[in-house]
């Protein structure tokens, strides 16, 4: 099965300002992505932007799939203007994805901002295990896919910076308070997270403090997505590692911030 494929756009809808959900139909059979895998999407045939843009698998729909993305710059802006029927050239699925053999009794999932894109896929896959899903965003408007999460029975615990939905403040502090209330059983949890770097750093400290095992999906600027350009390395306790190849998911205790 080739990892380079063409896909036609079924739908490319704006959810809220600058945030889009694109549904794609691969024109050939592709490998089923794992949560935490990503695709390198060529947003245009023109010379600029030359590079593909990395975007996580958000949802797998029996062969079709969805990506959830924010317009950050030129590439994603071009993507947001694509119409149903347009064809995209895509590489993937890439990266290691989240490990799915989980021995812990309980699962904690933390999504910050657009980190909900891959965490949705993981939550959907793990829903029978009743994971506790913590979801933080700047404001209510930027809480994406809440109805779909609720429909899956994954009622998230929410925090927003401005208090417009859920608890006011950051989601790591909410988790901290919950952990403090259930300290005796906390080591029997596995933590998975994706979100902005400050959130992941704070979660790493929390995990270290409580001896919590887990994994985080990291983001880095990427050029090739295939492990050859070394443009995406991060420092880990095992040396420098490529986010596109050995990652994007790393054990929490291996990440050197
Ligand atoms: C493994 C992986 C998975 C990702 N999954 C998603 C996803 O599901 N949804 C989504 O919206 N975005 C995701 N991203 C981020 C996305 O790739 C960038 O927002 C995108 O490449 C920006 O391209 P652009 O041409 O629009 O912006 P550019 O003009 O290239 O950059 C605009 C701004 O975004 C910043 N930026 C660019 N690339 C990255 C990056 N890789 N990480 C952090 N900041 C970046 C730049 O520093 C700049 O400030 C992911 C990134 C990685 C590495
Ligand atoms: S993007 Fe080229 S090595 Fe990771």
């Amino acid at each position: 099965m080739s990892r380079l494929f063409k896909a036609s756009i079924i739908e490319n809808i704006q959810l809220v300002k600058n945030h889009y959900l694109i549904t794609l139909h691969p024109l050939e059979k592709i490998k089923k992505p794992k949560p935490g895998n990503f695709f390198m999407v060529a947003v245009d045939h023109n010379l600029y932007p030359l590079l593909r843009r990395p975007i996580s698998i958000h949802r797998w729909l029996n062969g079709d799939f969805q990506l959830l993305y924010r317009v950050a710059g030129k590439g994603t802006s071009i993507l947001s203007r694509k119409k149903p029927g347009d064809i995209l050239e895509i590489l993937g699925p890439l990266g290691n994805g989240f490990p799915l053999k989980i021995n812990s009794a309980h699962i904690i999932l933390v999504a910050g901002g657009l980190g909900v894109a891959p965490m949705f896929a993981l939550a959907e896959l793990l829903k029978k295990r009743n994971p506790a899903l913590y979801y933080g965003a700047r404001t209510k408007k930027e809480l994406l896919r809440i109805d779909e999460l609720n429909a899956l029975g994954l009622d998230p615990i929410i925090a927003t910076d401005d208090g417009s939905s859920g608890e006011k403040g950051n989601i790591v502090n909410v988790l901290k308070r919950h952990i403090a209330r259930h300290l005796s059983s906390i080591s029997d949890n596995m933590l998975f997270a994706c979100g902005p770097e400050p959130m992941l750093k704070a979660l790493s400290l929390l995990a270290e403090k409580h001896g919590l095992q887990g994994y985080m999906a990291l983001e880095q600027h990427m050029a090739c997505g295939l492990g050859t350009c070394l443009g995406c390395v991060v420092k880990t306790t095992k040396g420098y590692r490529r986010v596109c190849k050995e990652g994007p998911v790393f054990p929490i205790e291996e990440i050197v911030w």
Side-chain angles (χ1 to χ4, degrees), residues 221-242:
H221 290 270
M222 286 185 182
C224 70
L226 291 167
T228 49
C229 74
L230 303 184
C232 65
V233 292
V234 288
K235 199 172 178 185
T236 75
T237 54
K238 296 186 168 168
Y240 285 95
R241 291 287 180 268
R242 297 162 296 183

Side-chain angles (χ1 to χ4, degrees), residues 134-151:
Y134 291 78
Y135 182 11
R138 282 187 295 198
T139 179
K140 184 178 180 179
K141 276 191 188 148
E142 292 185 9
L143 286 166
L144 307 174
R145 312 288 279 155
I146 296 292
D147 289 348
E148 290 74 12
L149 286 168
N150 290 338

Side-chain angles (χ1 to χ4, degrees), residues 86-157:
D86 287 351
I87 305 289
L88 297 176
E89 197 188 65
I90 300 175
L91 191 59
L94 302 169
N96 57 355
F98 286 101
L100 299 172
K101 278 190 188 151
I102 304 161
N103 296 325
S104 314
H106 305 289
I107 297 166
I108 299 172
L109 308 176
V110 185
L114 245 287
V116 75
M119 295 313 289
F120 185 111
L122 186 61
E124 185 171 21
L125 206 77
L126 298 176
K127 66 179 179 202
K128 283 197 185 121
R129 303 270 316 257
N130 279 327
L133 173 60
Y134 291 78
Y135 182 11
R138 282 187 295 198
T139 179
K140 184 178 180 179
K141 276 191 188 148
E142 292 185 9
L143 286 166
L144 307 174
R145 312 288 279 155
I146 296 292
D147 289 348
E148 290 74 12
L149 286 168
N150 290 338
L152 290 167
L154 289 159
D155 308 331
I157 298 151

Side-chain angles (χ1 to χ4, degrees), residues 53-56 68-70 72-76 114 117 219-221:
R53 297 299 188 261
I55 304 185
S56 309
L68 184 63
Y69 65 96
R70 174 174 44 212
K74 182 90 175 168
T76 43
L114 245 287
E219 279 191 15
Q220 274 289 327
H221 290 270

Side-chain angles (χ1 to χ4, degrees), residues 1 14 32 50-51 67 82 92 104 112 144 151 153 164 188 196 206 218 231 242:
M1 241 178 288
Q14 185 173 21
K32 184 178 175 182
L50 197 54
L51 302 178
L67 309 174
K82 295 287 170 186
S104 314
L144 307 174
S164 50
D188 206 11
L206 189 67
L218 302 184
R242 297 162 296 183

